[in-house]
Amino acid sequence: HPAAAAKAYRLLSTIMRTAVVDGLILTSPCKVDGAGSEHAAERPIATVAEVDALTSAIPERLRLVVLLATWCQLRIGEILGLRRQDIDLLHATIRIEQSRTFTRDGSSLTKSPKTSAGRRSLSVPGNVTEAIIHHLDQFTAVDPDALVFTMNSGAPLTAVTLQRAWSKARRTIGRPDLHLHD
């Protein structure tokens, strides 16, 4: 894959520059211009009408996921890690204190953001506030530590379940190219 090749070239180039500094070789053989550059394709963007259609096409207990990803720019792990206490309706803010990711065997891992910039407060736009209130009333336990997004059974929502629902909603509106932000 081109991105993997670029990363490998950057690593090799760094190793060779270190070898030059350490006097192990005279010059670095890594001289290919642009070989370490990645050129990711621009991700497609949903229109407001498509966001509305996606929100309607996904199961009701996941509609807030679409709105938070779109209007608050939350990543999947941040959404899956949201707890009731992270949402301040009085000030219309969401605090990102943790995220939930999944290991290869499917087990859940809750962790703090990697950097201080990852731990942040976000403003919630007015068009999302009512959806948050509805979701918390209908689908979230009252405990402050309760995860905002759960399965019908009350178990924590998994990435696989979310991805299945998201894929179905994308196909329903004819936009299989849209992705949730990792």
Side-chain angles (χ1 to χ4, degrees):
H1 192 272
K7 286 177 176 68
Y9 188 86
R10 284 195 305 270
L11 176 60
L12 178 63
S13 182
T14 299
I15 292 168
M16 291 299 151
R17 281 194 307 273
T18 301
V20 169
V21 169
D22 290 349
L24 299 174
I25 58 175
L26 294 177
T27 63
S28 170
C30 297
K31 299 182 188 288
V32 179
D33 288 335
S37 299
E38 295 178 59
H39 303 287
E42 187 172 336
R43 286 190 165 188
I45 298 172
T47 66
V48 172
E50 288 170 333
V51 170
D52 290 343
L54 284 164
T55 304
S56 296
I58 205 160
E60 184 181 5
R61 74 181 312 109
L62 299 178
R63 289 180 180 166
L64 185 58
V65 169
V66 176
L67 298 175
L68 292 175
T70 302
W71 302 114
C72 298
Q73 296 295 297
L74 294 183
R75 297 175 182 95
I76 295 170
E78 293 168 341
I79 290 169
L80 294 175
L82 272 182
R83 298 163 298 177
R84 183 179 273 274
Q85 68 186 357
D86 297 328
I87 300 173
D88 181 349
L89 291 169
L90 181 63
H91 297 100
T93 59
I94 294 176
R95 280 187 331 276
I96 303 302
E97 298 285 337
Q98 65 181 25
S99 67
R100 278 183 57 238
T101 57
F102 296 85
T103 61
R104 290 180 195 251
D105 68 5
S107 59
S108 175
L109 178 65
T110 301
K111 58 185 180 178
S112 297
K114 293 178 195 172
T115 65
S116 59
R119 178 171 276 146
R120 63 201 188 283
S121 287
L122 305 164
S123 290
V124 176
N127 64 319
V128 179
T129 305
E130 281 188 43
I132 291 174
I133 292 168
H134 173 75
H135 183 90
L136 293 176
D137 287 346
Q138 296 296 312
F139 304 111
T140 305
V142 295
D143 179 14
D145 281 329
L147 289 172
V148 173
F149 296 100
T150 60
M151 313 274 267
N152 291 336
S153 66
L157 180 64
T158 65
V160 170
T161 300
L162 176 56
Q163 188 59 47
R164 276 192 203 119
W166 176 248
S167 294
K168 184 176 178 183
R170 291 181 312 171
R171 287 190 309 273
T172 299
I173 71 158
R175 286 298 308 271
D177 59 324
L178 295 174
H179 298 277
L180 286 171
H181 185 55
D182 295 333

